[in-house]
Amino acid sequence: MLEQGNRYLSDLAYRRQALLQSLPNHANMYAKQRIGHYALGRRGWDMLPEWNPRSVGVGNAVVAQLGTADVPTQGRLPASTPQLWDGRTPRTMREWVALGRTVFFRYPLRSEVFAEWALRRPETAARVGIEKDASGKYPGIVLFADVDGRSRIGITCALCHTAVHDGRVVEGRARRAFDYGRLRLDYHQDTREPVDADLARRMATWGPGRADVTEDVAEDPVAIPDLWGLRHQTALTQAGTLNHLGPVTLAIRQETQLLHTNHQRVRPPRVLSLALAYYLYSLEPPPVARTHPETAAERRGQALFDSHCVRCHSNEAYGGDPIDHARVGTSPELATGTARGTGRYRPSSLLRVADAAPYLHHGAVATLEDLLSPERLAAGFTRSPVGPGPVPGHTFGTELPQADRDALVAYLRTL
Ligand code: HEC
Ligand code: HEC
């Protein structure tokens, strides 16, 4: 793994080749943008300056400084704040992971006025899932010196990919309480800053734990996924936008994500993107009392899983290779969209699936029972978190008798 990483750091032609191989559909916007700009040497994104920002986590002390007035945060980052990375290339996997963790919590994706606005209103922050841990810190929110030198409030990976549970930060868990659409709507309502009416209508429908992260016109908000089990997946993202060929795929994904969210003004040092990839691989699901079937129902559920589910949920994380979207039958927008579409959906990892509701790429199913219930497919269904009406697709298991479905759910709860 470290050898592949070293080639990513040192070999331009290798990076280009790895990029091309990682894109299953060269015609979507995600692919076109990267093919047009990435690893071209004297053109494109390679010419952007590297950015090693100065950034600190935000806790009560920073929030107190923000005050209640809408004063820009300009000039508040202490001048003594060191840069995030000391410039040394890690030597051991442990050092790589530690550096990657720093990037995950502290490298700003971009400045974020909505988050800054919410920090001044703790009740709003709590309501939209900008969570505080037991020490009063907001994981995923930083105060940083932006590319232009000004201090700003920004967001990091940890805002969407950690959750706070009993005051403790669970790294890699989707922030299912985070309601980005609601946050932005509240901001616009309060500040009277105009917002496009169509966008406002769409944001109101996202709900907690979902966001439309694609650039196309399709209405396709996706659920934030848990990040454990990634290294077992042969494809990344729910529509399988990337063939996953090892740490180099993930490092390129994170390098291009960070330069993209920072408005293509700067790029992260590659050591930091690679560190982030190794850190993501190191994430393990939270420990549970046991992860093997014991009761009769659980064992029966396992046998049913082996006969009905394993052909798709086939790898160690119970995910698998992407499947033609028509065979899955869930809403096609994301899979067929021009932004990241590939025509397929990837079987999700099922590690700790009991805690991963709502389910499916669009988060349209509230419980495992509903996922397996034929009621979900019928016109009168009212229990979807995204609104009344049937939730079609992924009919696997819905044809089984109730007792079998109960057994399957019992087994899924042990994963
Ligand atoms: C605003 C919320 C948000 C932020 C911030 C964010 N992500 Fe995500 N992330 C998502 C969503 C939503 C998806 C699902 C996208 C999809 O499947 O199309 C996702 C998907 C991913 C995946 C693919 C997971 C899989 O199952 O294949 C990885 C890896 C990932 N994010 C890592 C990161 C890293 C690293 C950062 C910081 C650089 C980050 N994300 C920042 C919301 C976010
Ligand atoms: C033909 C392939 C296929 C089969 C068979 C299959 N699945 Fe899936 N499964 C998928 C795909 C693809 C997804 C993601 C679909 C989406 O998000 O639209 C998925 C998603 C899921 C999810 C949602 C996980 C989450 O976190 O959102 C669960 C739970 C699940 N499957 C359980 C099962 C069970 C139980 C069975 C057997 C009864 C089964 N699957 C059979 C392909 C399959």
Side-chain angles (χ1 to χ4, degrees), residues 104 107 109-110 155-161 178 180 209-211 213-214 222-227 230 233 235-239 241 250 253-254 257-258 276 280 334 340 346:
F104 183 82
Y107 197 101
L109 269 79
R110 56 168 178 266
I155 61 169
T156 72
C157 311
L159 180 63
C160 294
H161 293 297
F178 181 45
Y180 196 35
R210 304 199 315 158
V213 290
T214 59
V222 265
I224 307 171
D226 292 330
L227 292 183
L230 276 182
Q233 290 282 29
L236 296 177
T237 85
Q238 325 217 37
T241 309
L250 200 48
R253 180 188 192 270
Q254 298 318 145
Q257 178 182 18
L258 283 173
L276 193 48
L280 294 173
L334 183 69
R340 293 167 188 213
R346 180 198 62 184

Side-chain angles (χ1 to χ4, degrees), residues 24 28 222 235-242 322-323 332-337 340-346 361:
N28 64 33
V222 265
L236 296 177
T237 85
Q238 325 217 37
T241 309
L242 291 164
I323 311 280
E333 281 82 2
L334 183 69
T336 58
R340 293 167 188 213
T342 59
R344 294 177 297 174
Y345 281 121
R346 180 198 62 184
H361 70 272

Side-chain angles (χ1 to χ4, degrees), residues 93-352:
M93 189 47 86
R94 230 181 127 143
E95 288 179 4
W96 277 109
V97 168
L99 179 61
R101 189 170 184 276
T102 303
V103 177
F104 183 82
F105 279 93
R106 298 228 319 268
Y107 197 101
L109 269 79
R110 56 168 178 266
S111 66
E112 184 75 45
V113 288
F114 312 117
E116 180 172 346
W117 173 85
L119 288 178
R120 297 200 177 92
R121 294 159 185 80
E123 277 162 35
T124 303
R127 193 156 47 79
V128 298
I130 298 186
E131 299 173 333
K132 232 198 259 197
D133 69 13
S135 72
K137 277 241 159 86
Y138 289 93
I141 309 279
V142 288
L143 175 62
F144 72 109
D146 208 339
V147 177
D148 61 8
R150 296 194 176 188
S151 290
R152 295 205 168 85
I153 293 292
I155 61 169
T156 72
C157 311
L159 180 63
C160 294
H161 293 297
T162 67
V164 180
H165 189 70
D166 291 338
R168 273 188 326 109
V169 179
V170 185
E171 297 176 31
R173 167 159 281 162
R175 183 81 63 94
R176 297 198 170 85
F178 181 45
D179 192 340
Y180 196 35
R182 183 79 263 148
L183 165 64
R184 288 169 60 175
L185 287 171
D186 285 0
Y187 167 88
H188 283 289
Q189 196 171 34
D190 183 56
T191 60
R192 291 168 203 272
E193 210 176 277
V195 54
D196 176 73
D198 187 51
L199 177 64
R201 185 193 55 73
R202 291 166 54 183
M203 289 192 300
T205 67
W206 291 352
R210 304 199 315 158
D212 190 347
V213 290
T214 59
E215 303 87 359
D216 62 356
V217 290
E219 181 55 30
D220 50 6
V222 265
I224 307 171
D226 292 330
L227 292 183
W228 34 77
L230 276 182
R231 62 181 179 279
H232 304 297
Q233 290 282 29
T234 55
L236 296 177
T237 85
Q238 325 217 37
T241 309
L242 291 164
N243 301 322
H244 186 196
L245 308 168
V248 60
T249 308
L250 200 48
I252 294 173
R253 180 188 192 270
Q254 298 318 145
E255 183 185 352
T256 56
Q257 178 182 18
L258 283 173
L259 71 81
H260 201 265
T261 54
N262 272 302
H263 313 293
Q264 302 180 42
R265 296 168 299 175
V266 288
R267 64 178 175 84
R270 286 195 191 95
V271 166
L272 298 190
S273 327
L274 182 60
L276 193 48
Y278 289 141
Y279 167 74
L280 294 173
Y281 281 163
S282 79
L283 292 171
E284 293 287 346
V288 284
R290 64 187 168 88
T291 55
H292 52 273
E294 263 173 19
T295 68
E298 288 164 4
R299 277 203 289 267
R300 174 142 167 243
Q302 182 176 34
L304 288 160
F305 190 84
D306 287 348
S307 49
H308 295 273
C309 319
V310 128
R311 68 194 147 99
C312 295
H313 294 275
S314 54
N315 66 31
E316 268 181 69
Y318 308 97
D321 300 339
I323 311 280
D324 190 273
H325 79 88
R327 244 184 97 202
V328 186
T330 48
S331 79
E333 281 82 2
L334 183 69
T336 58
T338 55
R340 293 167 188 213
T342 59
R344 294 177 297 174
Y345 281 121
R346 180 198 62 184
S348 328
S349 154
L350 301 180
L351 290 173
R352 308 299 183 268

